[in-house]
Amino acid sequence: MKSQAPLLRPRIFRPTPLNLNRLAGRLKRGEIIGVPSETVYGLAADALNPEACMRIFAAKKRPTTDPLIVHLASRYDIDTVAHVNEAALALAEAFWPGPLTLVLPKKNIVPLIVTAGRRTVAVRVPDHALFRKLIRLSKCPLAAPSANPFGYISPTSAVHVRDSLIGSGLRAILDGGDCSVGVESTIVDLSNPDKPRLLRPGGIEAEKIEMVLKRKLSRPSYKSISAAKSAPAPGMLSRHYSPRTKLILHTSLHPQDVMHMTVNEVCLLLSKPSAQVNKLLKPDTKKQLRWLSESGRMNDIAKNLFSTLRKLDEENWSVIHACLVPGLEGLAPAINDRLKRASAKA
Ligand code: TXA
Ligand code: MG
């Protein structure tokens, strides 16, 4: 009988100067590398090398119809890959480096595999010094989607990337610690600057973007997206970021609700139950309670969302009950968007 080759587990590299130089060299030679960012970890390749970019799609099992974001080291590099306009320059100045991606008409230098055949390219400057350092050292813009298998929960640590991409062809990940934002960048389509569109809510609040642009962003509805011949952001697929465990969403969820659940269901609260409520609960039922933050701070909820869903997904619960964030302010739209897609049926 033929013995199977063991599945290669990607190696995590500490961010020493030597390792950064090595990984930059490997990127330059066409390899894919797991990279840290402030939002989620990315799976990076030389954006100007079509074969290297093809490896990203293969490792993630991502359809080649879903375009990649191109990452730059500085906002002053934007015109190397995109045709800029005033609105784009204003947003780049206000929010880069940071969790904002701009969709603009592409320059010819960007291979069609990166943009999935589109005439537009998505660009951003990440707010993570190690990621920017790697772009500078490799001397190429880096195309990078989130480093998760297509459709699964996005990774917010190097270990998440390693554990979900074993045997994918990925060999190396740069460790940059836990992601500080925890949800992906906000995507704004400025290819027609007279009609700016919000394609994905994310780490920068839409209201802040509207303040800089001095106009409202249009928000395409999910219905219009699925009806469109080609979706404006294919990542807006209704099911995405999903745990394997069934996820049920609630508009409100209280620690006491756990008493109405069976023993293999877990209740994911937005904040830690108060000492008073804690006293009312039986020790057994307390094991079924988890929370996304100590005090309900929105930034903490976003930061912990994907890592907590991953943890729960590994624990063999039959159902995860989670709660939507109230209101439409701040990061609420981004958090609720990820929760809704994570719970959507295929
Ligand atoms: O925070 C982030 O944006 C992370 C980090 C690694 O930068 N990246 C990320 O990439 O979330 P990804 O591929 O998981 O999501 C990017 C989204 C996809 O939904 C893709 O369809 C959309 O951006 N996109 C890319 N290029 C586009 C384009 N030219 N027009 C419209 N949407 C585009
Ligand atoms: Mg993604």
Side-chain angles (χ1 to χ4, degrees):
M1 211 168 65
K2 228 178 168 182
S3 70
Q4 291 235 311
L7 292 176
L8 190 78
R9 200 164 89 132
R11 183 177 151 200
I12 296 178
F13 287 78
R14 284 185 304 118
T16 61
L18 180 66
N19 284 342
L20 279 160
N21 271 310
R22 276 188 186 150
L23 295 179
R26 288 164 71 160
L27 280 163
K28 200 66 215 156
R29 289 193 293 277
E31 193 175 323
I32 50 171
I33 304 286
V35 296
S37 93
E38 79 281 29
T39 56
V40 299
Y41 271 68
L43 194 58
D46 176 354
L48 306 183
N49 176 342
E51 276 144 41
C53 292
M54 205 54 222
R55 291 191 185 107
I56 296 178
F57 289 96
K60 272 185 69 106
K61 299 199 168 71
R62 172 171 168 137
T64 50
T65 48
D66 196 354
L68 308 174
I69 296 176
V70 173
H71 297 75
L72 305 169
S74 154
R75 68 187 156 97
Y76 300 109
D77 298 337
I78 186 171
D79 60 0
T80 58
V81 291
H83 294 281
V84 287
N85 51 49
E86 265 178 42
L89 291 176
L91 291 184
E93 186 178 353
F95 300 113
W96 283 355
L100 173 68
T101 294
L102 301 177
V103 173
L104 291 166
K106 83 174 200 64
K107 286 208 167 156
N108 287 340
I109 193 173
V110 181
L112 285 170
I113 176 90
V114 171
T115 64
R118 284 153 204 263
R119 302 160 80 104
T120 55
V121 62
V123 274
R124 97 174 179 99
V125 177
D127 189 13
H128 198 298
L130 292 171
F131 193 174
R132 292 201 307 275
K133 181 98 197 194
L134 205 55
I135 301 172
R136 284 213 177 85
L137 290 171
S138 60
K139 297 193 179 71
C140 46
L142 295 180
S146 50
N148 46 319
F150 184 66
Y152 193 58
I153 306 166
S154 300
T156 54
S157 75
V159 169
H160 291 162
V161 181
R162 183 191 63 195
D163 292 352
S164 54
L165 288 175
I166 293 171
S168 68
L170 174 69
R171 290 169 52 210
I173 304 158
L174 175 64
D175 192 354
D178 291 343
C179 299
S180 57
V181 176
V183 289
E184 293 86 347
S185 59
T186 304
I187 306 182
V188 176
D189 181 359
L190 280 177
S191 54
N192 176 356
D194 295 331
K195 287 199 181 133
R197 297 189 308 155
L198 176 73
L199 296 187
R200 177 175 75 183
I204 302 256
E205 293 89 319
E207 306 85 69
K208 288 191 182 161
I209 295 168
E210 290 173 335
M211 269 166 64
V212 173
L213 291 178
K214 299 192 183 71
R215 64 197 306 164
K216 287 268 169 206
L217 292 169
S218 75
R219 293 160 166 80
S221 70
Y222 297 147
K223 259 195 192 151
S224 72
I225 287 163
S226 48
K229 274 194 195 124
S230 68
M236 295 183 88
L237 294 170
S238 54
R239 185 173 167 83
H240 210 80
Y241 316 106
S242 311
R244 286 174 285 266
T245 315
K246 183 173 180 184
L247 175 66
I248 298 180
L249 298 184
H250 302 262
T251 44
S252 75
L253 204 53
H254 303 284
Q256 298 89 316
D257 295 339
V258 78
M259 298 199 243
H260 308 292
M261 295 174 188
T262 63
V263 290
N264 48 4
E265 297 180 28
V266 67
C267 182
L268 180 57
L269 304 166
L270 294 174
S271 55
K272 187 175 173 175
S274 67
Q276 247 178 342
V277 170
N278 215 15
K279 266 191 222 149
L280 301 174
L281 298 167
K282 292 188 209 134
D284 262 7
T285 52
K286 280 187 206 165
K287 285 187 212 146
Q288 290 169 255
L289 284 181
R290 301 297 162 82
W291 45 91
L292 286 167
S293 71
E294 288 290 307
S295 62
R297 265 188 74 221
M298 199 93 87
N299 291 22
D300 295 334
I301 293 172
K303 185 170 190 274
N304 297 325
L305 178 67
F306 288 142
S307 58
T308 310
L309 285 177
R310 272 181 186 251
K311 236 180 262 159
L312 296 179
D313 208 18
E314 281 160 17
E315 288 178 3
N316 275 331
W317 299 101
S318 62
V319 179
I320 303 170
H321 292 272
C323 186
L324 291 163
V325 176
L328 294 169
E329 305 276 291
L331 292 175
I335 295 166
N336 289 343
D337 169 82
R338 305 308 186 269
L339 279 169
K340 284 179 188 166
R341 286 177 214 279
S343 72
K345 293 191 182 71

